Amino acid sequence: MPYEFLEDISRADVAFEATADSLEELMRDAARAVTETQVDIGKVQKRRERRISVEAENVEELLYKFLDELIFIKDTEQLVFCEFDVAVEEKAKTFRLRCRARGEKLHARHQPKVDVKAVTMHHFFVRREGGRWRARVVLDV
Amino acid sequence: MAVAESIRRIDDYVWEIGPDFKEGMRVPARIYASEALVEKMEEQVLDQLTNVATLPGIIRYAYCMADAHSGYGFPIGGVAAFDVEKGVISPGGIGFDINCGMRLVRTDLTLADVKPKLKTVVDALFRRVPSGVGSKGALKLSRNDFRAVVERGARWCVDRGYGWDEDLERTEEKGSMGGADASTVSDRAMERGFKQVGTLGSGNHYLEIQVVKKENIFDEKAAEAMGIFPGQIVVMFHCGSRGFGHQAATDYLQRFLRAMPGYGIKIRDRELASAPFHSKEGQEYFSAMKCSVNMAFANRQVILHSIREVFSTVFGKSAEELGMHMVYDVAHNIAKLETFEVDGRRKQVLVHRKGATRAFGPGRDEIPACYKALGQPVIIGGSMETGSYLLLGTTKAERETFGSTAHGSGRTMSRSRARKMWRGDKLRGELEARGIYIRTASFPGLAEEAGGAYKDIDQVVGSVANAGISKKVVRFVPIGNVKG
């Protein structure tokens, strides 16, 4: 399972853990978990494509900024995404993420669940363990 | 050392964890709750509470209230006061939803008047007040208007006809916190928030039609003075600063994390990121927080205006004729400079309340004239099934808890667990059979907010009332609910 929601990290909020073979897949799966927190991701259609680009000094900051950008786009453009093509490159101690996200405007047919307010730093990590990438994220909802 | 063994009873409703419990604790931690609630409190709450006790400049105690549950950084239900000169300000002590709060509106309508039109009025409120994931568009504002909103709060709204002058008198900070400079907020926060004024949001945010039952009035004199009578219909709602406040908190949390090493502040949890109150970062965050506070007051002001218009249309009378006066508006995620007696001297301190309500006793300057003899109204939101309370603050709260009390029920289980236990559509049917009509933007969201996922509100309120930090006035029972 690429991501799993955790029950007892924080009672008022939503926590998930993602594991993946590559950093790109980890970013993609975490992005999917953010969509899944807010709507039924299976009901989101690929009507629009939006390019997203973030830069950071380390992989944790990269994931944080990427997810923060998705929340920003949800509030400002009312777009939610179901598919994410992610590329990550590291150059001169800077990580750059480029993503083509596909989805559409929020709609009642997506069976909305709960609005994500913010990515918290509570128990937040991105690390490489036994050859795989693992991340834990708590979302304030 | 297990936390439970370290909790010492001070009296029936006050508990303490000593500073030897954890390395770095500068003060003890105090819990205001009944024994039953303390026993059920999550270990994580106590861990977070004792982490708060390690922050520089904290005065007297790190507090948590009877409704406490685990959050991030501070527990929800947490209170901490800091020395203005030597202390810090911490976004984690306020929360991402800055000035999340409660507003209560009275009416002259009775249950008999509203019952035949309950569905009409709830449906109309659901249409009129946008709610749910990504909700927007109650008010069309330019970016310049929005800048004025965040600097002037509810005052801006009333000046433009969204409400009455008396609404401001009955809002904490008179609906407009001074010193809010929009240049301390990122364009990103402005962009996120400017379409969201007048929207409810989602999660635990709601708008509820409630009834006053005679047997639920605990203090007849105070109730009467606040315009509350048996059989009456009131409207209560809960929401905050929407994406604007969330983004301001996000931006400053990251900035504080980068700045902290320079100030030599060591913290046990990144969500406790702090900066000296008088540092550049501290002051700019305080200003951005005030902008978010104002956004939330404006948000609730526009929602109040929408509620008055809906009632006016449904019942064919003006809001004035319907007696739709605001009772009060409280902030429960905020930091404020307030004056208390500390070590025998009046002293200004920075009080953080995260999921906690200000509860000043009679006579304080901050209380509007109409309530000065009573004490400050405290609005406690319960779950959508169980009811809510109107309380009054006390002088004892000023002495003991920096004028603070609980804010709501507090969760007993995670959202995902609640979703496994209840189904939103089934729950809605069950509640309708019990006389509570619900409209929701989200059935899974409704299940997460089931009454069973929350602590018993009567126990929470009983705890703070018995501890003497609040006084019970009336308990309200829901009959209609718009859930975001």
Side-chain angles (χ1 to χ4, degrees):
Chain A
M1 186 144 165
Y3 61 86
E4 184 184 5
F5 288 100
L6 308 172
E7 287 199 346
D8 288 311
I9 297 288
S10 180
R11 281 193 181 166
D13 304 309
V14 170
F16 68 86
E17 228 175 72
T19 41
D21 290 330
S22 69
L23 198 51
E24 283 83 357
E25 286 169 356
L26 187 83
M27 299 282 162
R28 175 199 69 195
D29 293 342
R32 288 177 59 88
V34 169
T35 305
E36 182 69 46
T37 301
Q38 304 189 96
V39 296
D40 182 342
I41 195 170
K43 302 241 174 1
V44 179
Q45 294 177 7
K46 292 176 271 182
R47 290 171 194 265
R48 297 264 296 269
E49 186 174 283
R50 175 79 160 69
R51 289 176 184 227
I52 298 167
S53 173
V54 289
E55 277 185 16
E57 288 173 11
N58 57 59
V59 288
E60 278 194 350
E61 193 188 346
L62 194 71
L63 178 62
Y64 188 93
K65 283 187 167 175
F66 179 40
L67 301 184
D68 183 50
E69 187 65 19
L70 294 174
I71 295 164
F72 179 74
I73 293 170
K74 176 264 301 172
D75 268 356
T76 51
E77 298 170 46
Q78 282 70 50
L79 287 172
V80 282
F81 305 106
C82 55
E83 195 172 90
F84 303 86
D85 289 341
V86 179
V88 178
E89 57 175 20
E90 185 189 357
K91 227 184 231 175
K93 290 188 181 167
T94 299
F95 290 86
R96 177 183 286 181
L97 178 148
R98 288 203 187 109
C99 171
R100 284 167 189 258
R102 291 175 204 98
E104 62 180 330
K105 285 248 183 196
L106 275 162
H107 192 277
R109 129 178 91 70
H110 299 146
Q111 299 189 349
K113 296 175 187 167
V114 66
D115 218 359
V116 173
K117 295 173 180 171
V119 183
T120 77
M121 297 303 287
H122 187 51
H123 294 296
F124 181 75
F125 67 76
V126 177
R127 58 173 86 117
R128 204 162 156 75
E129 283 176 0
R132 301 200 79 201
W133 285 95
R134 193 164 149 234
R136 181 181 285 178
V137 180
V138 178
L139 302 169
D140 187 352
V141 298
Chain B
M1 183 166 25
V3 189
E5 292 159 17
S6 311
I7 302 178
R8 187 165 67 91
R9 181 197 290 265
I10 301 297
D11 67 33
D12 284 352
Y13 295 92
V14 184
W15 307 78
E16 185 169 309
I17 304 174
D20 51 349
F21 171 71
K22 186 181 278 180
E23 196 189 327
M25 277 176 73
R26 295 165 193 261
V27 292
R30 283 218 164 172
I31 305 153
Y32 278 73
S34 64
E35 185 166 10
L37 288 176
V38 170
E39 274 175 5
K40 278 188 256 169
M41 221 164 250
E42 303 153 84
E43 198 146 312
Q44 219 186 130
V45 168
L46 305 172
D47 186 41
Q48 291 177 343
L49 181 66
T50 47
N51 285 345
V52 172
T54 68
L55 292 175
I58 187 165
I59 302 172
R60 214 185 282 156
Y61 301 106
Y63 300 90
C64 84
M65 298 294 154
D67 53 343
H69 58 82
S70 57
Y72 38 81
F74 280 52
I76 316 293
V79 177
F82 293 86
D83 186 285
V84 172
E85 300 306 324
K86 294 177 242 157
V88 294
I89 185 165
S90 174
I94 293 152
F96 284 95
D97 197 357
I98 297 166
N99 191 7
C100 187
M102 306 290 308
R103 188 171 281 215
L104 176 66
V105 192
R106 71 173 299 286
T107 73
D108 285 336
L109 295 164
T110 64
L111 181 60
D113 299 324
V114 173
K115 213 168 180 182
K117 291 183 173 172
L118 181 63
K119 286 192 179 180
T120 311
V121 72
V122 173
D123 289 346
L125 287 167
F126 183 68
R127 281 194 304 272
R128 178 66 194 264
V129 182
S131 63
V133 178
S135 48
K136 69 171 176 81
L139 202 62
K140 297 259 180 304
L141 293 177
S142 69
R143 286 170 175 79
N144 272 343
D145 284 342
F146 187 61
R147 181 172 287 269
V149 165
V150 304
E151 292 189 341
R152 298 185 58 222
R155 173 87 259 172
W156 185 92
C157 305
V158 171
D159 284 350
R160 271 160 189 72
Y162 299 102
W164 308 341
D165 274 329
E166 66 170 50
D167 300 341
L168 301 174
E169 275 300 306
R170 296 171 184 200
T171 305
E172 207 169 310
E173 297 292 320
K174 294 190 165 50
S176 178
M177 205 166 178
D181 174 359
S183 72
T184 55
V185 181
S186 68
D187 291 344
R188 208 171 159 77
M190 299 295 280
E191 204 56 34
R192 246 181 104 178
F194 93 101
K195 292 178 186 165
Q196 293 183 326
V197 179
T199 64
L200 204 53
S202 81
N204 62 359
H205 293 161
Y206 64 86
L207 190 170
E208 204 161 75
I209 298 179
Q210 302 168 340
V211 63
V212 178
K213 293 187 175 171
K214 192 170 189 307
E215 64 271 26
N216 291 337
I217 298 181
F218 305 99
D219 183 337
E220 281 180 32
K221 217 174 130 193
E224 199 186 330
M226 296 164 96
I228 303 296
F229 61 86
Q232 181 186 27
I233 293 297
V234 299
V235 184
M236 184 182 281
F237 57 99
H238 176 221
C239 60
S241 49
R242 309 284 289 111
F244 177 77
H246 312 159
Q247 192 64 46
T250 298
D251 295 341
Y252 277 93
L253 172 63
Q254 294 303 315
R255 195 171 154 201
F256 275 32
L257 284 169
R258 286 191 299 271
M260 260 191 320
Y263 292 113
I265 298 172
K266 285 189 189 142
I267 47 167
R268 300 183 74 101
D269 177 342
R270 279 178 293 182
E271 280 288 340
L272 286 176
S274 307
F277 180 58
H278 279 305
S279 65
K280 188 172 187 303
E281 291 84 0
Q283 286 298 300
E284 288 182 5
Y285 169 69
F286 195 43
S287 163
M289 183 215 76
K290 289 170 172 178
C291 291
S292 309
V293 166
N294 288 340
M295 158 62 183
F297 283 141
N299 193 28
R300 293 199 285 273
Q301 187 62 41
V302 171
I303 292 175
L304 168 63
H305 178 74
S306 301
I307 294 168
R308 282 178 175 150
E309 288 203 337
V310 164
F311 270 70
S312 182
T313 304
V314 172
F315 295 97
K317 284 182 179 177
S318 70
E320 289 85 351
E321 285 169 322
L322 292 169
M324 296 186 74
H325 298 282
M326 203 176 121
V327 176
Y328 204 61
D329 177 304
V330 292
H332 54 222
N333 282 4
I334 196 164
K336 297 213 285 195
L337 287 169
E338 293 167 348
T339 303
F340 296 95
E341 195 166 305
V342 180
D343 301 329
R345 288 214 331 257
R346 299 290 289 172
K347 188 178 162 98
Q348 193 182 51
V349 299
L350 182 69
V351 184
H352 290 60
R353 298 191 182 97
K354 184 188 190 184
T357 315
R358 194 183 71 178
F360 285 168
R364 286 278 304 213
D365 288 345
E366 293 91 335
I367 304 176
C370 56
Y371 301 132
K372 201 155 260 180
L374 295 172
Q376 177 217 306
V378 172
I379 305 161
I380 306 275
S383 76
M384 63 188 168
E385 296 184 48
T386 55
S388 301
Y389 278 85
L390 177 62
L391 314 176
L392 287 170
T394 65
T395 307
K396 192 176 184 202
E398 287 174 44
R399 277 201 311 267
E400 289 193 9
T401 57
F402 291 101
S404 308
T405 189
H407 84 308
S409 293
R411 295 190 69 91
T412 56
M413 69 175 74
S414 68
R415 293 179 173 277
S416 54
R417 186 161 292 171
R419 266 209 310 273
K420 284 177 192 157
M421 289 187 70
W422 293 280
R423 275 182 56 116
D425 48 354
K426 197 161 165 258
L427 183 65
R428 184 187 174 199
E430 285 168 9
L431 290 175
E432 197 167 336
R434 281 168 46 194
I436 308 169
Y437 178 63
I438 294 177
R439 287 297 305 268
T440 180
S442 163
F443 280 124
L446 185 70
E448 291 175 9
E449 296 297 317
Y454 281 88
K455 293 181 193 185
D456 180 344
I457 186 81
D458 297 329
Q459 278 193 44
V460 169
V461 168
S463 294
V464 292
N466 287 324
I469 56 171
S470 300
K471 264 169 65 181
K472 287 200 261 188
V473 177
V474 58
R475 178 176 189 268
F476 304 108
V477 180
I479 58 165
N481 181 302
V482 173
K483 206 215 87 42

